Amino acid sequence: MGKPQFSHATAESTRGPDHAQLLVSETFTSRQGEGRLTGTDSFFIRTSGCNLRCWFCDTPYASWNPSGDRQTIESLLDAARQSGVEHVVLTGGEPLLSPAVTELSRSLMDSGFHLTIETAGTIDKPIPCDLLSLSPKLADSTPDPGQHPRWSGLHEQRRMPIETMRTLIDAALAHQVKFVVGDRSQFDEIRQVVDSLGVTNDDVFLMPQGVTNAQMDAAIEWLRPLTEAAGYQYCDRMQIRWFGNRRGT
Ligand SMILES: C[S@@+](CC[C@H](N)C(=O)[O-])C[C@H]1O[C@@H](n2cnc3c(N)ncnc32)[C@H](O)[C@@H]1O
Ligand SMILES: Nc1nc2[nH]cc(C(=O)O)c2c(=O)[nH]1
Ligand code: SF4
Ligand SMILES: [Mg+2]
């Protein structure tokens, strides 16, 4: 009798591409609230699960406490078609974590959707998309080591792999780089990351950290002038203005 055969195939590959599934926390139709395509009607697919743990994460239900349902690529494509809009935003959590994300992206693009991927850029999985919306995580995103010793260490190790980010940028048709900013002292760090990535200022957006109109209003006062003086684009988070910080918007 021979040795037992062990398979290293993923659930997706053993079941075949038609049955590939992703853990999804929510899907909804809304307007893109951030970056270059702000105002564009879009169908959002938010995967659940993240390899980072930003202390300020505005979707903890997809990172700190990931929840959701497994959905097939076919059902996600159907839902996108039913939404009646031409733009799809694939976000998370960290969408690049899912083994089925390449297949989903390809299917969405083949079906004629304009695909934006919102990612922190730490997973080496260059996949095609129309707009890579990369949000590198700065040092101040790391959770408190006293409260979260394990995640603080993992987050710090994982958050800024420049080469991986470069590969993702190269695989995309277009890109934008969005930084979450809470303090003026972060500008030096932002400049260093922009230089290392070799991206141009037109593609760099600075967004205030925050989930309330009051935080957005306060940030406009100090962050917008600094952003413009540095030659970057200021990025209000319009979904907060339009809908408040609510799920499904
Ligand atoms: C929830 S993340 C999901 C995609 C990916 N994990 C990432 O971080 O890019 C979507 C976007 O929201 C931003 N974000 C999350 N929490 C935020 C907060 N409290 N203030 C401002 N932006 C935030 C992220 O930087 C990213 O651009
Ligand atoms: N309206 C709206 N625009 C967004 N742009 C990026 C989002 C995200 O969570 O990735 C997002 C979101 O959650 N809602
Ligand atoms: S990388 Fe994105 S989803 Fe993950 S914790 Fe940070 S903001 Fe949240
Ligand atoms: Mg969001």
Side-chain angles (χ1 to χ4, degrees):
M1 221 170 78
K3 284 187 184 167
Q5 300 290 304
F6 293 104
S7 166
H8 295 283
T10 61
E12 281 75 12
S13 60
T14 47
R15 300 188 63 189
D18 291 348
H19 301 284
Q21 295 183 332
L22 298 89
L23 187 65
V24 175
S25 69
E26 57 185 354
T27 60
F28 54 92
T29 306
S30 183
R31 248 175 289 158
Q32 173 58 269
E34 301 170 7
R36 180 175 298 135
L37 293 178
T38 294
T40 307
D41 290 337
S42 306
F43 181 71
F44 287 78
I45 301 173
R46 189 182 304 285
T47 62
S48 197
C50 188
N51 61 331
L52 300 180
R53 288 295 185 277
C54 306
W55 66 266
F56 53 66
C57 183
D58 65 358
T59 53
Y61 53 90
S63 56
W64 287 93
N65 303 297
S67 64
D69 303 315
R70 299 204 74 80
Q71 296 196 30
T72 62
I73 289 178
E74 226 13 86
S75 69
L76 291 167
L77 270 175
D78 281 349
R81 287 192 197 104
Q82 296 231 333
S83 74
V85 302
E86 292 172 11
H87 284 247
V88 172
V89 180
L90 181 52
T91 184
E94 177 47 64
L96 298 187
L97 264 187
S98 168
V101 70
T102 309
E103 177 87 23
L104 174 63
S105 302
R106 197 177 297 124
S107 306
L108 286 164
M109 289 181 78
D110 288 350
S111 302
F113 290 104
H114 178 286
L115 177 63
T116 298
I117 299 184
E118 304 278 352
T119 176
T122 62
I123 312 260
D124 195 3
K125 193 183 284 181
I127 53 178
C129 61
D130 293 286
L131 177 62
L132 180 82
S133 182
L134 173 67
S135 185
K137 293 299 174 287
L138 298 172
D140 112 301
S141 63
T142 304
D144 179 61
Q147 280 186 339
H148 305 284
R150 181 169 166 273
W151 272 114
S152 143
L154 287 172
H155 184 99
E156 200 46 46
Q157 255 172 47
R158 292 172 174 170
R159 68 181 171 80
M160 196 63 79
I162 294 290
E163 279 312 309
T164 297
M165 292 179 185
R166 247 330 317 163
T167 321
L168 292 172
I169 288 173
D170 290 343
L173 293 174
H175 59 270
Q176 64 186 13
V177 183
K178 292 189 299 181
F179 293 97
V180 176
V181 189
D183 193 87
R184 64 184 65 223
S185 62
Q186 292 173 292
F187 270 74
D188 280 348
E189 190 185 358
I190 291 169
R191 258 183 235 106
Q192 281 170 21
V193 178
V194 169
D195 278 358
S196 310
L197 288 174
V199 292
T200 60
N201 287 359
D202 284 351
D203 295 324
V204 177
F205 292 77
L206 303 199
M207 282 195 308
Q209 192 289 115
V211 294
T212 64
N213 281 340
Q215 285 172 308
M216 300 300 118
D217 288 342
I220 280 193
E221 298 293 321
W222 67 270
L223 183 55
R224 185 152 69 182
L226 287 179
T227 302
E228 288 168 359
Y232 304 138
Q233 319 307 311
Y234 186 70
C235 178
D236 210 326
R237 305 183 73 217
M238 290 308 294
Q239 69 272 33
I240 310 263
R241 308 265 186 204
W242 295 326
F243 313 114
N245 183 37
R246 290 195 290 118
R247 270 185 88 141
T249 61

